[in-house]
Amino acid sequence: MTLAKEVYQAMEDIVGPENISEDPADLDAYAFQMCAEISHDGSKFTARPEAVLLPGSTEEVQAVVRMCNKYKLKVKPYSTGWGVFSGIQAKGTIQLDMRRMDRILEIDEQNMFAIVEPYVVGATLQAEAMKQGLNCHMIGAGGGCSILASACALGGPGPDSISMGFSAENLLALEWVMPTGDILRTGSLGSGIGWFCGDGPGPSTRAIIRGELGSFGGLGVFTKCAIKLYPWPGPPTMPVEGVPPSYKSPLPNNFRAYTLAFPSWEAYAGACYKIYDAEIGYIIHRQFNKLGNLGATFFKMIFTDPGKTLDDIEELANKPEMLKLTEEMKISFQMVLAGMTMRDIEYQERALDEILLETRGWKVAAMAESDMQKFTLLYFIKLCFKNLNYVLTGGYWSSFGQHGTPDYEIKRVIPTAAELLKKYQATGLLADTGADSMMGSIGGHGGGGNFGMEQFPFYDPHDIESVKAAIAYFDDAARTAKDKGLLRGVESSVRKLTQQDRENAFGPQRSLGQWQRRVKEAFDPNDIGDRRYGWLEEPKE
Amino acid sequence: MALGDYQAHMERCSRCSLCKWIPLMHIKSWRFSKGCPSIEYNKFQSFSASGRFAVSLSLLKGMCDYTERLMDIVYKCQLCGSCDVACKICRYDLEPLETMRELRAKLVEDGQLLLQHIPIMESLRKEDNMMMKPKAERGKWAEGLNVKHITKESAQVVYHAGCNLSFDEERWGVARTAVRLIKNAGVDIGVMGGDETCCGARAYAMGYQGEFTKYAQNNIEAWTNAGVKTIVTSCADGYYAMKRLYPKLGSKFQVLHTVEFINYLIKDGKIRFSKTIPMTVTYHDPCHLGRKGEPYLPWTGVEKKIRGQIIVHDPPKPRYNGAKGVYEPPREVLKSIPGLQLVEMERNREFAWCCGAGGGVREAYPDFSLWAAKERIEEAMATSAEAIVSTCPWCERNFLDAINENGNKTKVWDIIELVEQAI
C-alpha cells in the first residue's frame, strides 16, 4: 500500500513538503528499531510506514489526525523513538516524528514544574532546571529519551525514583490530540488556570491515557505536558572532567556516591526497608551488576581508564583483585546521597552507616575512591552512560521486570530469574554474565512498594542463532513466570502477547484488558491508533 | 573495508539517538545540546548516524534503491564525527563514521555520483586541486617568501599549504606568516609552491577513495624524494589526511599542524611576544584537528567472542573516540599571548559543533553549510567573545562567508594571525 496521491498531497499541505517523505530509504530509517529482531523474527526492521510526517505544532498534529480519520489510516507518533514499540505495527500507518516540537516552553521555578514538548529529552530539561536549583526525574532509559513520552505513554521508573518518583507520577497538566482529532486539555489546564496539576480542577485522564504502563503511542498524540520538578542542591552546571569515555564530575561537599554491598539478599532487602524508614537517599539503584560478573571490572578498570577497552576485559577480570571485588559486589547497589544542607548530609551519612551496621552491609572501598565517586555521581545524576547496557553484545532487553516489595522480589523473582538465565547462558548463545544481570531501583517516591528488579539477557543482533536463543529465553521467561505464579515482566513489550499471556501479565482479573479495549473503542472510534500496547485485547470479530 | 563489512555494526546499532547529541554529560543548555548538524538541519531520522546504519542495511538487503533522496541522505552530512564520539562513549563495537564513509565509497563505485561533486572532481583530476582553479596559480601565495622550493633543494620540513589556502588570496597571509615564523626560528623549511598537489582528503570524504590514494601516494613520493622528515600544515583537513590516512599507505613522516609547531617554538623561547592583544576570543576546534586528529594506530586483527557472545577483538583494537585529538596546543598558544582572554564555547574539544564546511557539503549544499556555520557563530557570540579563532582555513572561510551573509560583527582569526600580531 502506498498513499494515494490526493492523500499525500493533503498531508503535505498540512506540514509542508520539507516535512513529509515516502521515500523508501527514509521509511526504512523509521522501521529500523532496537529489539525489532526479537519481535520480528530476526529482522532489524518493523513494517514500513506509508509516510513519515514531522508536524511542527499542535494544530498540524490535529489536522493530520483528522486526515487519518478521514482516509482510514492509522497513526503512530514517536518522540525520541527508541524501541520496537516506537515503530509501527501494521501496514497503512502514518508515522509522526515529533522532533520539530522540541521546546521547553517554561520552567516555573516557584511552583516547581516545567512545560515541555515531545522532543525535549531528560538531559536538556535537567540542564535548564539545574540553573534554577531544580531537577527532573530521569527515566531509566537515560537522559537521551523524551520526558513527555515517558510521562504520557510509557512506564518511567528510574534510579532517582526514590526521591523523584516515576514519570507517570510527575505528569501534571497535559495537551492531548485525541484519536478523533479533538484537543483535550487535562487537569488544571482544562480549567484554564495553568499547568500545575494533572488531576484537577479540570478533567483527570491519567488512568485513561496511560494506566500503569502507557499506551505506547496508540491513543492519539500528546503535544505538551507539564512535569513536576524537584529540589537540586548541587551546582547550576555540573562540571565534567576527563577524556572520553572516562568522564567524571567533582563531588560537592553535600554529596556522596557509594556502592553498598551486603552479605545476603535478605540483608539487601532489610537495608531497603530501613532506608525507607530513614527517608534518606537521592538516587538508589542496582546498576553496575547489570553487566553481571563483569560489572566490577568494567566500571572499575575499563570504563574509568580511557586507555582500556572491552577488548581488555578478559585479562583484567581474571586479576586477583578484580575477582575479589566481583565477589564483594555480588549483592550490591549504588546510592547517591544529596544533602539539602550540610547538616542534612551529615544526618544521611550517619543514618546510612547505622543501617549498614544493622544489616552487616558495607561501603565497597574500591568504589568509594575519589575517581569512582566522581564517576558514580555523574553516571547517576545525569544518567548519561545508560547505553553501556549494550556494550557487551549490542542487544539486550528486560525480563521478569515488575515492581514489588523487596521481600517479594528477593524471595520469589530473583532466584527464578537467575536459574532461567543460567540455563540459557550455558548454551553459549547469550553472553555469560554469571546469570545475574539484574538491575533495578530499590523504591518509588517516598519509599517502599516499588522495589524493581529486571533480568537482562545479552544477545548479538547480528547472529541469528543468538537472536533465536534470546527469543526462546523471553518466551520461556513468560512461561516460567506463569508456572511460578509471578507477574509477567516487560518482555511483553517486545514479544507478542497471547490472551493467556495477558491474563498472566496482570493477574487473574481479565477485566484490565477488557476495560483497556473499551477505553480505546470509546476514544478511538475509527481505530486509528496503533495497537502496540501489549495488554490490549484483540477486537472482537 | 567495504560497506558490507560493516553489516554487523548496522545490526548491532541500538538506535538510541545518542549520535544526535553531544555527549549527554556535557549538555549545559537546551540551546547548544545538539551534536549532529545533519539531522538538525534535515530533520528526518535517515539523516542521523543511526538512520544511515538503517539506510545502509536496507540498501545491502535490496530493500531500497538509489534515488535522489538517498543521495541527499548520504551526502548531506559533513562527516564531522560528532556522532562517532557520542556513540563510542557507550558502544565499543560500532564505527558509524567509517560506515558512512564506506556508504559514499559504494555509491561512487556503483556510479551513483552526486552531480554537485562532479565538476570538483574534474578539477582535481585536471588541475590537482579541489577549488576549480588553474594549477598554474597554485604557488602564487608563496611568491617573495624567499623560502626553499623542495623540488629544487632539500629541506627537513615542508610546509603544505593545501588547496584552500593556496587559492584563497584573502587568506594567503595565514600560510605566509606560518612559513615566515617557522623559518625565522631557524627551522630548515621549504615549500612545493606550484608543484604542490591536493592532499586528497576531501576526495576521500566524498567517496572517491581511488583519487585519494593516487594523490596521497604522489605526495608521499614527492616528500620522500625531497628528503623531507616533517610535514607542517595550517589546514586541519590536510593534517587529518597526512596524520591519520597516509600511514595506511606507508607514510612515516612526522606530521604537525602549524599550531603544534608554533607551540613548540613558543615553549622553546624561539617565539617571544612583545605586544599585548586586549581581546576576548573563543576557540573553535576544527573536527579534523580535534576529534578526528588522533594519530593513526596500526591494527590487524579479528573480531571474536568470549564468554558466549561478548564481542572483542584479537589483538585489542585501537579506539578512535576523540580522546587524543589536538586540543591543548591551540589553547596553550592563545593563553600565552599577552592580554588575550580565552573563553570556551559550550560545545568544545571532542564534542565541538562542526563549522559546516566538511564532507563535501560546502561544495554541494551551500545553504546547509552556512547554516551550520551560523549556528557556531551564535554559540561563539553567546560567550561574549569578540572573535572566533581557529586553525583551519575551511572553517575560517565558512565562518567568514556566514558572517558576510548575516552582517554579523564577529571577527574571525586564524591563530597564526594573532601570534603574528603579538610578536
Side-chain angles (χ1 to χ4, degrees), chain A residues 23 26 28 30 44 48 78 81-82 99 102 128 247 306 308 311 314 387 392 428 432 460 462, chain B residues 11-15 18 26 30 43 45-46 58 63 67 69 305 307 309 311 313 317 319 350:
Chain A
D23 188 278
D26 276 324
D28 283 346
Y30 285 87
K44 195 75 189 170
R48 259 185 195 163
Y78 83 37
W82 188 18
R99 73 172 353 263
D102 73 339
E128 295 297 342
Y247 296 123
K308 296 284 188 289
D311 295 344
E314 193 70 293
N387 300 340
L392 299 180
D432 182 358
D460 179 2
H462 177 59
Chain B
E11 290 173 341
R12 290 172 184 153
C13 168
S14 43
R15 202 229 159 271
L18 293 199
H26 281 289
W30 174 87
K43 306 295 183 192
Q45 169 69 12
S46 40
S58 172
M63 293 163 58
T67 61
R69 175 69 171 177
K305 288 183 175 176
R307 301 190 182 212
Q309 295 292 321
I311 299 151
H313 300 89
K317 189 179 171 187
R319 174 175 56 194
E350 70 272 17

Side-chain angles (χ1 to χ4, degrees), chain A residues 48-60:
Chain A
R48 259 185 195 163
E50 301 306 324
V52 176
L53 276 71
L54 280 69
S57 66
T58 303
E59 291 70 29
E60 287 185 8

Side-chain angles (χ1 to χ4, degrees), chain B residues 77-94:
Chain B
C77 162
Q78 285 86 355
L79 297 181
C80 74
S82 171
C83 56
D84 211 59
V85 167
C87 178
K88 285 175 179 165
I89 286 170
C90 292
R91 296 300 300 274
Y92 289 45
D93 51 347
L94 299 185

